[in-house]
Amino acid sequence: MLKRIIEDLDTALRKDPSARNRLEVALTFPGVHAVWGYRIAHFLWRSRLKLLARIYANWVRTVTGIEIHPAAKIGRRFFIDHGMGVVIGETTLIGDDVMIYHDVTLGSTKYMKGKRHPTIENGVVIGAGARVLGPITIGEGARISANSLVTRDVAARTNQDEGELFVI
């Protein structure tokens, strides 16, 4: 557990040029606090303490402004920069080394049972204000630019900022 905490702190130091040291990150980065809170809520969810998991996740949202459903599955070295307004839905799958900015929604397009939120593969970066909706896949290493609306699969290593992506 301590190794994972240090890994999270080091990820923030690597991905955010404003981060100066581990102590500063641990005490003042709401994205890191939200990920730690998610991990506790996810543990409770997997332990079949679902109501407690939802209550705890709601408290974390109140404190950080970041809403992560406890049933979502998130990989290692996940970093949320700034974070206010981030929403990550119940059936979202997020791989390793993913970075998202504030006001990103990983949501659903309709009410239905089963997989209804996106799958974000390893190494993806999602810009501020982007909406990634539905049971779609964002391929490994793809970059989604700020304020995009993405409702279709995105190929691996697509860089929307360079005009390669036309799904908005």
Side-chain angles (χ1 to χ4, degrees):
M1 181 170 178
L2 182 60
K3 286 182 184 179
R4 184 64 67 95
I5 290 169
I6 291 171
E7 183 178 62
D8 290 335
L9 297 173
D10 289 344
T11 298
L13 287 167
R14 210 172 40 260
K15 295 193 177 222
D16 189 341
S18 75
R20 293 185 302 237
N21 57 63
R22 287 179 181 161
L23 181 61
E24 177 185 52
V25 171
L27 294 176
T28 67
F29 276 53
V32 172
H33 299 159
V35 170
W36 290 344
Y38 153 78
R39 289 206 182 114
I40 293 167
H42 186 68
F43 171 79
L44 294 169
W45 187 269
R46 285 190 341 241
S47 299
R48 300 186 189 274
L49 298 169
K50 294 185 179 187
L51 178 59
L52 186 57
R54 293 295 299 266
I55 291 168
Y56 185 72
N58 190 56
W59 178 80
V60 171
R61 178 183 58 85
T62 300
V63 170
T64 65
I66 299 166
E67 181 176 341
I68 306 174
H69 194 286
K73 294 181 181 158
I74 298 176
R76 296 174 62 182
R77 296 174 302 277
F78 175 57
F79 183 62
I80 303 170
D81 196 7
H82 298 287
M84 185 61 74
V86 167
V87 177
I88 299 174
E90 178 183 18
T91 62
T92 302
L93 301 174
I94 298 175
D96 297 334
D97 303 303
V98 171
M99 180 172 174
I100 65 175
Y101 289 88
H102 62 280
D103 197 32
V104 166
T105 298
L106 304 178
S108 178
T109 55
K110 5 177 150 167
Y111 176 79
M112 60 186 215
K113 295 286 185 186
K115 177 76 169 139
R116 62 189 182 280
H117 298 93
T119 296
I120 311 298
E121 293 185 347
N122 297 339
V124 170
V125 176
I126 303 176
R131 307 293 184 247
V132 183
L133 304 176
I136 63 174
T137 298
I138 307 300
E140 185 171 345
R143 297 187 177 280
I144 305 298
S145 67
N147 295 315
S148 296
L149 172 60
V150 183
T151 58
R152 290 186 240 157
D153 290 348
V154 174
R157 285 168 276 297
T158 299
N159 187 343
Q160 189 179 20
D161 291 329
E162 295 176 2
E164 295 178 25
L165 184 60
F166 300 100
V167 295
I168 61 173

